[in-house]
Amino acid sequence: MNRHRRINIALLAAALISAPLPLLAKEASLGKPSRLYTEPFKDAAVIATLSATSTVKVLERKGGWSRIQHQQSEGWIRTLDLRFGKSAEGSVVADTFGLATGRAGSGNVVATTGIRGLDEEDLKSANFSAEQISLAESYRIDASVAESAAARAGLQSTTVEYFEDITNATPAARRHDR
């Protein structure tokens, strides 16, 4: 693949990734029965349990959660429970993506979900919670307890060497098969 084509594909992929989710796929299906929550948290109230054959409209994404509409209900669902692709087939974006990846045509749908965790808005709206700090600290165990549990499980200690710093290596040493 020549350099200009790789650059064009990279630019197209970056544009698609940075585009808002509703532009990329307004509809999705579920891959398994899934709970619809009032908020994007596993301990939030459950509105409904949707069947694996449900089709939903994606309204927004937040971390690993998507706000969806299903019939008259609206709520949050784990993004990993959603399947994008078939509903997007035939759209300009899907056709363009297919051309860029060489996966155009039926039967070549590839679904990928990227979850980055905290976003800027999460950090801006974050509040200190002594209760949550205490909860996190309650999960801590002593090293001797951890070593004992590892021994009972048959785990062995292994030393892993650091990778060699290649920032000053020759171009031949930095080269990888592409």
Side-chain angles (χ1 to χ4, degrees), residues 6 9 18 21 23 41-42 48 61 77 81 84 109 114 124 143 162:
R6 282 195 315 233
I9 289 173
S18 64
L21 183 62
L23 176 64
F41 306 104
K42 286 203 70 117
R61 279 189 59 191
I77 195 165
D81 291 352
F84 300 96
V109 176
K124 284 180 182 177
Y162 285 102

Side-chain angles (χ1 to χ4, degrees), residues 41-149:
F41 306 104
K42 286 203 70 117
D43 60 352
V46 176
I47 298 171
T49 300
L50 306 178
S51 71
T53 59
S54 298
T55 301
V56 300
K57 181 177 180 182
V58 179
L59 305 173
E60 172 187 2
R61 279 189 59 191
K62 183 177 182 180
W65 294 87
S66 292
R67 187 169 60 92
I68 59 109
Q69 180 178 11
H70 174 68
Q71 297 173 351
Q72 302 304 316
S73 298
E74 187 176 304
W76 293 87
I77 195 165
R78 300 285 307 191
T79 300
L80 292 174
D81 291 352
L82 297 173
R83 301 290 176 257
F84 300 96
K86 292 212 181 247
S87 61
E89 282 181 1
S91 72
V92 173
V93 173
D95 292 344
T96 304
F97 186 72
L99 289 174
T101 62
R103 293 185 177 266
S106 64
N108 293 316
V109 176
V110 175
T112 303
T113 302
I115 299 174
R116 292 178 268 167
L118 299 175
D119 60 18
E120 186 176 350
E121 289 303 313
D122 291 330
L123 295 174
K124 284 180 182 177
S125 64
N127 294 311
F128 175 78
S129 171
E131 181 180 306
Q132 291 298 313
I133 297 293
S134 295
L135 177 63
E137 288 176 346
S138 74
Y139 296 132
R140 182 175 45 193
I141 61 171
D142 292 331
S144 60
V145 174
E147 289 169 359
S148 175

Side-chain angles (χ1 to χ4, degrees), residues 1-12 178:
M1 182 182 315
N2 68 33
R3 179 181 163 95
H4 293 293
R5 184 164 180 207
R6 282 195 315 233
I7 290 172
N8 288 340
I9 289 173
L11 289 172
L12 178 60
R178 294 179 186 190

Side-chain angles (χ1 to χ4, degrees), residues 150-174:
R152 283 194 310 272
L155 302 177
Q156 296 177 354
S157 177
T158 302
T159 302
V160 178
E161 299 296 326
Y162 285 102
F163 287 108
E164 178 184 334
D165 181 9
I166 63 167
T167 54
N168 295 321
T170 64
R174 288 192 303 255

